[in-house]
Amino acid sequence: MRIHSAYAIPGEGVVSSSHTTTTHILIGLSDGRIHVFDINGGHVHTLLEPSGIVRALAAFENTLLNGSKDGSVRVWDITSGTQLRILQGHSSLIRSLYWAQDPDHQAKHYAASGSADGQIRIWDVKSGDCIHVLIGHEAWVYRLEVRGDILVSTSNDCTAKIWCLGTGKCLFTLRGHSRAVMSLIVEHERIITAGLDGEVRLWSLADGSLIALLARHTFPINNLRMHASTVIASTTNGWLFAWSLINYQRCWARKSHDHAVTAMDVYKGMIVSGGKDGGGYEDACGLDARVRVWHLDVEDGNAKKKDAGGEVLSSLPNGGAADEKLYELGHDQRCVELGGPAQVAWRIGTVAGKVVVLVSKRGGVVLEIWTDEE
C-alpha cells in the first residue's frame, strides 16, 4: 500500500470522534474543533463546537450532526460550514448519534441521539422537533443502530435494547453481559454485541433471544467489525479474533500488537489495526504505536489454510476463556506496516476504496490516507 495524502492538523486537541461519508471525512477533537476534509484528504474548513469535546458525529448528504458536551445536537451545512439549528432536550453529554431514513417516507430523515443521561431521542432534523424520547436504559447510551423501523442501543447498564421507532416503545431487552456493552453490529436479522466483560454475543433481532455466545475473553473487547459472514473483534491486550456466523466457531486469531488495539477496520478482506507495541505493560503509555495490515485468510467463515506457526483455527473450541497458549503465533510475517511509529493510533476507517488513519505524531494529529491502487 502507498500513502495517498497526509495532513497535519494544528492544535493540541486529540481525536474524540470521526465519521466518513461518500464525500467527506469528518474529525471531532477534544478541543471542540470539527475538521472537514474531502475524500482525498483536502481540508475544506473547520467548525467549532463551543461546549468543548466532540464525542459523536453523524452525517447524511450535506448535513452534519455533532453531539455536544452540554447535551445538545448541533446541525451543520457541511459545504458552507453554517450552523443550521440546535436540537435540545438531553441533560448530559451526547455519546452516540445515528442518522436514518424514514422507512415510510424515503425523502424524510431523522436522527437518533444517545446520551449520558440514559435517554435516546429521535429527532426530525429539518424541523428540529423531538419525535420520541426512549426511556429505559439506566446509564450511558454507547451505541445506536437503525434498521427500518427498529433501533438497537447498547449501554453502560450492561444491556442492549430493541426499540420500535414508530411507537417509541422498547420491544426487547438483551441481558447477559456483566459489564458495559461498548460495541454493536446489526446484520440482517441478527445483532452482535461485545463489551468490557470480554464477551461477544449473537442475538436474534426478531425476538431478542440469544443465538450464540461466540467468545468469553479475559480482556475487554473494544472494536467489532463484519467481513462477509465473519465477525472480527479486537481486544485491549492486543489480539484480533474472528468468528464464523455460519458455524459460530472461531476461525482466525492474531496477536497483532503488544498492548491494546486502539483502532481497527476491514479493507478489501484485510484487517487494518492500530495499537501500542514494545516494552512491558507498565510502560504502555510511552510506547510507539503501529498501524498494521493483516490478511484475514478466511472464506465463507472458515480458515482457508493453516496459520503460520499455529493450528487450523476453525477447529478451536467455541467460546470459553481465551487461552493464549493456543495462539502463540507471534507477529505474522505477512503483515504490512503503514507509515512509521506514532504516539497513538486513534481511528482507522475506509472511504472510497482508501484507508483513513488518524494518528498522533510529533504532538499533533495527522490524517493519513492510504491506497493499494496505482
Side-chain angles (χ1 to χ4, degrees), residues 138-300:
E138 298 177 358
W140 286 43
V141 177
Y142 278 117
R143 294 287 183 269
L144 299 172
E145 292 277 348
V146 176
R147 294 296 181 274
D149 195 40
I150 297 297
L151 180 144
V152 183
S153 60
T154 71
S155 171
N156 197 45
D157 65 8
C158 309
T159 71
K161 290 181 180 290
I162 303 174
W163 308 81
C164 174
L165 287 176
T167 63
K169 301 297 184 183
C170 180
L171 303 177
F172 306 103
T173 298
L174 314 184
R175 304 183 189 278
H177 286 285
S178 60
R179 297 182 66 187
V181 185
M182 305 290 290
S183 299
L184 171 68
I185 295 174
V186 180
E187 183 266 345
H188 297 302
E189 296 300 315
R190 295 177 290 192
I191 300 167
I192 304 134
T193 58
L196 298 184
D197 59 3
E199 294 185 350
V200 180
R201 290 174 172 260
L202 181 66
W203 313 82
S204 167
L205 181 62
D207 61 13
S209 61
L210 181 66
I211 298 173
L213 174 61
L214 298 179
R216 181 182 291 122
H217 294 291
T218 304
F219 285 79
I221 305 289
N222 57 5
N223 287 289
L224 277 182
R225 294 293 186 273
M226 283 288 301
H227 171 64
S229 56
T230 305
V231 181
I232 302 153
S234 66
T235 69
T236 59
N237 66 331
W239 283 89
L240 297 172
F241 293 100
W243 298 268
S244 166
L245 287 185
I246 297 174
N247 58 24
Y248 307 141
Q249 297 292 308
R250 188 160 41 208
C251 58
W252 187 92
R254 284 291 182 280
K255 176 65 171 174
S256 59
H257 298 275
D258 294 329
H259 307 285
V261 179
T262 55
M264 185 263 288
D265 208 342
V266 179
Y267 174 75
K268 297 184 179 180
M270 299 177 286
I271 302 174
V272 186
S273 66
K276 289 281 192 177
D277 285 278
Y281 278 89
E282 68 277 5
D283 299 322
C285 291
L287 301 177
D288 286 336
R290 307 281 179 166
V291 177
R292 295 187 168 115
V293 181
W294 308 87
H295 292 277
L296 186 54
D297 289 337
V298 295
E299 189 172 73
D300 295 330

Side-chain angles (χ1 to χ4, degrees), residues 271-341:
I271 302 174
V272 186
S273 66
K276 289 281 192 177
D277 285 278
Y281 278 89
E282 68 277 5
D283 299 322
C285 291
L287 301 177
D288 286 336
R290 307 281 179 166
V291 177
R292 295 187 168 115
V293 181
W294 308 87
H295 292 277
L296 186 54
D297 289 337
V298 295
E299 189 172 73
D300 295 330
N302 294 303
K304 286 183 180 179
K305 53 191 174 183
K306 291 174 73 73
D307 284 291
E311 305 175 46
V312 177
L313 297 179
S314 58
S315 67
L316 296 176
N318 182 29
D323 183 358
E324 294 193 4
K325 293 182 180 178
L326 293 173
Y327 305 109
E328 292 292 342
L329 306 178
H331 287 312
D332 191 336
Q333 297 302 309
R334 292 169 293 170
C335 83
V336 175
E337 289 195 354
L338 302 185

Side-chain angles (χ1 to χ4, degrees), residues 342-360:
Q343 293 172 306
V344 183
W346 294 106
R347 295 284 195 281
I348 294 171
T350 59
V351 61
K354 302 179 182 70
V355 177
V356 178
V357 177
L358 291 169
V359 294
S360 283

Side-chain angles (χ1 to χ4, degrees), residues 22-38:
T22 57
T23 56
H24 290 91
I25 301 166
L26 309 162
I27 304 168
L29 300 182
S30 60
D31 61 7
R33 290 177 296 151
I34 303 169
H35 289 276
V36 180
F37 294 84
D38 63 35

